[in-house]
């Protein structure tokens, strides 16, 4: 129900879900009441009230469990976890919940909820810094399964995750095959989403582009991108955790371009993204503290507050490590290294960049690690730094690359 309205007529979701809640209170609880509370919680959260929205989602899950209906629990998890739970629960536990929802749905024959939960599982694992090899393997297996069953439900969501994982591992221009057929390209998926007015997929592709363009420093595409946050606020879709990550990367992109171009419009975009993330960080320090600190560091660097920026970079690295976001720890180390390099502190810059490479390798983003390695090679030599660090070897050999492509070639 929730996803049908989101694809067909999102504007009616609030009125219909509110009416369902009213009927539940007035006429008694039915099997659909937990879904009504969950859907209305999404509407409330999208309006800016994080606490009430999350409580509605928690109520929906408790009610579904009390009704002892596994099929109902699976469908409620598919709504609550990606759209509400990120407000207060770690992204890592949301990944586990989707896996549980997938299992429950499969056991009771709820194919749609089971499929959707697994698509969200793959995406949540990527966003939370899970092993990219696992993300790629599982999303690839999932896409093969959907294609063999001629099942379209969840296919595009899983495709977005798969495309991004392959780009981060192999590079942004990697050819992608699933089975013996080409996977729809990012461009085709986006065109389909726009034509069908499927905002979940179109926003997902926009976020995919923001992440990829920033991590690979594709400055031309970064400069030509429109404001993701402005479009998000204009369209007001249900706030998936993926969209919040997209705003975070818009902020990083904006500050990066602002320092290159000295154009105040990019600083304004960065500040807007920082304000947006700060709003949601009040309800979940675990998920957003490191992101706020890194955006504050980038803002201070852009505005010339160097001492303040250095402290923010250090705090963002510590926070990302404490909250187990290895991928964002790598981003923080790299940006900190570029900050020190700009100030002429080459020893510190070299150390930070090396830490960044190690984090990206641990995550599995070998192509991103290679890009940072090239940056190190371009700026440092064996005798450049007093600490004796040297340029690290390539992140992966041709043999390693062949092994990783095992999941692509069937």
């Amino acid at each position: 129900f929730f996803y049908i309205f989101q694809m067909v007529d999102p504007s009616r979701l609030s009125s219909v879900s509110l009416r369902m809640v009213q009927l539940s209170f007035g006429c008694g609880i039915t099997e659909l009441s937990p879904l009504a509370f969950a859907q209305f919680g999404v509407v409330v959260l999208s309006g800016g009230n994080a606490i009430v929205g999350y409580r509605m989602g928690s109520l929906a899950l408790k009610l579904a469990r009390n009704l002892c209906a596994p099929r109902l629990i699976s469908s409620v998890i598919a709504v609550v976890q990606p759209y509400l739970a990120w407000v207060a629960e770690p992204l890592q536990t949301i990944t586990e919940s989707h896996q549980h929802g997938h299992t429950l749905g499969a056991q009771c024959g709820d194919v749609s909820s089971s499929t959707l939960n697994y698509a969200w599982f793959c995406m949540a694992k990527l966003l939370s810094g899970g092993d990219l090899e696992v993300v790629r393997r599982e999303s690839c297996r999932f896409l093969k399964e959907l294609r063999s069953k001629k099942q379209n439900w969840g296919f595009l969501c899983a495709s977005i995750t798969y495309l991004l994982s392959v780009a981060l591992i192999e590079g942004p221009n990697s050819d992608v095959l699933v089975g013996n057929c080409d996977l729809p390209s990012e461009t085709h998926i986006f065109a389909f989403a726009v034509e069908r007015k499927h905002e979940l997929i179109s926003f997902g592709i926009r976020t995919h582009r923001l992440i990829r363009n920033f991590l690979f420093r594709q400055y031309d595409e970064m400069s030509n991108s429109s404001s993701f946050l402005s479009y998000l606020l204009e369209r007001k879709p249900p706030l998936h955790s993926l969209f919040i990550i997209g705003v975070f990367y818009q902020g990083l992109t904006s500050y990066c371009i602002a320092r290159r171009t000295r154009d105040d419009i990019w600083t304004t975009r960065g500040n807007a993204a920082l304000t947006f993330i700060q709003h949601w960080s009040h309800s979940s320090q675990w998920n957003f503290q490191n992101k706020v600190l890194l955006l504050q560091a980038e803002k201070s660097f852009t505005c010339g507050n160097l001492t303040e920026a250095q402290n923010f970079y250090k705090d963002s690295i510590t926070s990302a490590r404490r909250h187990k976001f290895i991928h964002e720890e790598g981003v923080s180390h790299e940006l900190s290294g570029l900050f020190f390099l700009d100030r002429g502190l080459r020893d510190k810059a070299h150390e930070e960049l090396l830490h960044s490479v190690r984090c990206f390798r641990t995550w599995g983003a070998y192509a991103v690690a290679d890009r940072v390695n090239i940056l190190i090679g371009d700026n440092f030599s064996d005798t450049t730094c007093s600490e004796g660090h040297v340029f690290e070897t390539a992140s992966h050999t041709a043999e390693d690359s062949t092994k990783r492509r095992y999941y692509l070639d069937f």
Side-chain angles (χ1 to χ4, degrees):
F1 169 82
F2 175 77
Y3 292 99
I4 292 174
F5 264 97
Q6 193 174 359
M7 288 185 286
V8 177
D9 190 0
S11 64
R12 298 181 62 185
L13 178 62
S14 57
S15 58
V16 173
S17 58
L18 175 58
R19 182 57 179 157
M20 290 177 69
V21 170
Q22 289 175 330
L23 289 172
S24 295
F25 282 127
C27 302
I29 300 296
T30 68
E31 286 192 355
L32 287 179
S33 295
L35 273 178
F37 291 128
Q39 293 154 8
F40 188 64
V42 173
V43 173
V44 171
L45 185 141
S46 298
N49 196 326
I51 301 301
V52 174
Y54 176 71
R55 287 176 177 172
M56 292 289 288
S58 299
L59 174 63
L61 281 172
K62 291 178 182 177
L63 186 57
R65 293 188 178 104
N66 289 339
L67 291 175
C68 299
R71 177 172 181 173
L72 187 61
I73 296 174
S74 179
S75 58
V76 172
I77 287 175
V79 176
V80 171
Q81 295 301 321
Y83 290 96
L84 296 171
W86 57 265
V87 169
E89 300 175 17
L91 288 176
Q92 293 88 346
T93 63
I94 291 174
T95 303
E96 297 170 2
S97 296
H98 281 307
Q99 197 166 25
H100 178 59
H102 165 69
T103 302
L104 286 176
Q107 289 174 344
C108 66
D110 186 357
V111 176
S112 297
S113 296
S114 177
T115 298
L116 200 56
N117 269 301
Y118 206 77
W120 291 151
F121 161 75
C122 294
M123 184 176 290
K125 194 167 186 65
L126 187 151
L127 296 179
S128 62
D131 189 336
L132 284 178
E133 289 287 0
V134 175
V135 173
R136 179 169 72 166
R137 182 182 68 237
E138 291 303 307
S139 56
C140 183
R141 181 194 61 78
F142 183 54
L143 287 168
K144 284 180 61 183
E145 181 181 328
L146 293 179
R147 175 162 286 171
S148 66
K149 295 178 179 178
K150 297 182 179 179
Q151 184 177 337
N152 295 324
W153 188 250
F155 188 86
L156 294 181
C157 294
S159 297
I160 294 173
T161 303
Y162 182 67
L163 288 170
L164 183 54
S165 65
V166 170
L168 295 172
I169 295 171
E170 301 290 348
N173 299 317
S174 300
D175 294 330
V176 180
L177 297 175
V178 175
N180 296 319
C181 305
D182 288 331
L183 191 70
S185 68
E186 174 192 289
T187 303
H188 287 114
I189 295 174
F190 184 71
F192 174 84
V194 171
E195 179 184 351
R196 300 294 180 89
K197 297 182 180 180
H198 195 332
E199 293 192 335
L200 172 63
I201 300 302
S202 63
F203 274 104
I205 289 293
R206 290 173 190 272
T207 302
H208 169 279
R209 289 173 176 171
L210 283 166
I211 297 173
R212 183 199 62 207
N213 292 341
F214 179 79
L215 290 179
F216 289 103
R217 299 301 189 270
Q218 296 176 315
Y219 288 110
D220 289 341
E221 292 190 36
M222 289 163 64
S223 299
N224 293 330
S225 63
S226 57
S227 174
F228 178 79
L229 177 57
S230 296
Y231 190 71
L232 189 69
L233 295 176
E234 176 188 344
R235 303 297 297 176
K236 296 181 179 179
L239 278 178
H240 194 287
S241 54
L242 176 68
F243 305 160
I244 310 299
I245 302 300
V247 175
F248 169 60
Y249 277 95
Q250 178 195 294
L252 296 180
T253 297
S254 298
Y255 287 128
C256 178
I257 297 177
R259 290 195 296 273
R260 289 172 60 89
T261 64
R262 304 298 179 186
D263 189 340
D264 290 341
I265 189 173
W266 290 102
T267 304
T268 301
R269 285 188 184 183
N271 293 342
L274 172 57
T275 301
F276 184 83
I277 299 295
Q278 279 178 322
H279 171 76
W280 296 110
S281 70
H282 296 316
S283 57
S284 177
Q285 288 289 300
W286 182 283
N287 290 333
F288 300 114
Q289 183 187 63
N290 71 295
K291 298 172 181 61
V292 169
L293 289 169
L294 185 55
L295 288 171
Q296 288 175 325
E298 286 288 279
K299 176 183 179 180
S300 298
F301 182 19
T302 303
C303 296
N305 302 322
L306 302 184
T307 302
E308 187 178 75
Q310 182 173 336
N311 292 332
F312 279 134
Y313 281 122
K314 180 180 178 181
D315 292 342
S316 70
I317 292 168
T318 302
S319 178
R321 185 180 301 124
R322 182 188 305 121
H323 298 133
K324 306 183 188 305
F325 293 120
I326 186 67
H327 55 324
E328 290 168 2
E329 182 184 346
V331 172
S332 297
H333 275 300
E334 182 187 357
L335 294 177
S336 176
L338 293 174
F339 166 76
F340 285 123
L341 188 61
D342 183 77
R343 295 184 62 191
L345 301 174
R346 299 181 64 79
D347 285 349
K348 290 185 177 180
H350 194 207
E351 182 180 1
E352 291 295 306
L353 291 172
L354 288 174
H355 278 303
S356 176
V357 170
R358 295 184 188 112
C359 288
F360 286 134
R361 285 182 181 175
T362 302
W363 184 29
Y366 300 108
V368 182
D370 281 349
R371 179 189 59 76
V372 181
N373 245 336
I374 292 172
L375 176 64
I376 295 173
D378 289 343
N379 287 278
F380 302 95
S381 66
D382 293 1
T383 59
T384 299
C385 297
S386 61
E387 296 179 3
H389 294 303
V390 296
F391 170 54
E392 297 196 5
T393 57
S395 321
H396 57 278
T397 63
E399 182 181 356
D400 293 332
S401 181
T402 301
K403 290 179 181 178
R404 285 202 303 279
R405 287 182 186 277
Y406 170 81
Y407 300 120
L408 297 176
D409 303 328
F410 304 104

